[in-house]
Amino acid sequence: MLSYRSAVTSDLPALCALGEQVNAIHHAAHPQVFAAAGAPDRDEEHWAACLGRDDARIFVAELDGQLVGFVTVVLVNEAHSLLQPMRFGRVGSVSVTEAMRGRGIGKELMRQAHAFVAELGGHEVRLTVWAFNEAALRLYQELGYETRSLNLARRADGDR
């Protein structure tokens, strides 16, 4: 049976493995930006940073005792002189195993993140999606996300 919950420390090995799956997709598209596969526990500290905090969560999808997806979300209090002050959630990573994609798991994980942000007084949820990741972009558009900015890049050492 598929269930959803907040991640705990004992989930870190599975989170690392799921994180590696999503990172591999990004590395294939942009190897100059995203790291190649590493040791199984390479990113443990990264994922652990969201555990045990009041202002951050990792929500996981679990099927028969195995993690099949996750989303990370952190609350941000923005207070910059050029921007409206706002409390919002920032989604960092979303991953669903390839075998489980297309079953609504990503949508439900995002709903969990949205509810968490709303519960803590956040006004909106923000995230970054890479242009090559059309499946993720479709998911976010289905969930009502809008494009607000474009992040552009170029090599510094060339004319092109």
Side-chain angles (χ1 to χ4, degrees):
M1 176 178 213
L2 189 61
S3 61
Y4 298 87
R5 62 176 173 79
S6 293
V8 294
T9 303
S10 60
D11 293 322
L12 284 170
L15 290 169
C16 287
L18 283 167
E20 186 55 44
Q21 288 181 28
V22 75
N23 193 65
I25 294 167
H26 288 74
H27 175 74
H30 291 287
Q32 75 281 15
V33 176
F34 294 94
D41 63 349
R42 175 189 70 188
D43 304 319
E44 192 170 286
E45 185 176 325
H46 172 74
W47 304 119
C50 283
L51 299 178
R53 294 173 49 181
D54 292 337
D55 65 343
R57 285 287 185 284
I58 300 176
F59 293 101
V60 297
E62 188 173 33
L63 179 65
D64 299 327
Q66 299 292 316
L67 295 193
V68 296
F70 76 88
V71 62
T72 65
V73 62
V74 176
L75 265 291
V76 175
N77 290 304
E78 189 163 69
H80 187 283
S81 63
L82 297 175
L83 300 171
Q84 295 292 337
M86 184 180 293
R87 182 173 177 86
F88 63 91
R90 179 164 312 280
V91 168
S93 295
V94 180
S95 181
V96 175
T97 62
E98 189 172 355
M100 297 300 290
R101 291 181 193 148
R103 300 179 189 206
I105 294 170
K107 284 182 182 178
E108 181 57 31
L109 287 167
M110 291 299 293
R111 286 186 192 105
Q112 299 272 327
H114 298 158
F116 172 72
V117 171
E119 181 181 309
L120 294 181
H123 296 286
E124 64 184 25
V125 179
R126 299 178 186 177
L127 55 81
T128 298
V129 61
W130 285 76
F132 76 86
N133 198 342
E134 294 174 4
L137 184 56
R138 275 193 307 277
L139 168 67
Y140 302 135
Q141 288 170 335
E142 288 173 14
L143 290 171
Y145 285 80
E146 63 182 4
T147 300
R148 289 200 180 157
S149 66
L150 299 173
N151 184 350
L152 306 177
R154 70 165 291 228
R155 291 183 55 91
D157 62 352
D159 290 334
R160 242 182 126 222

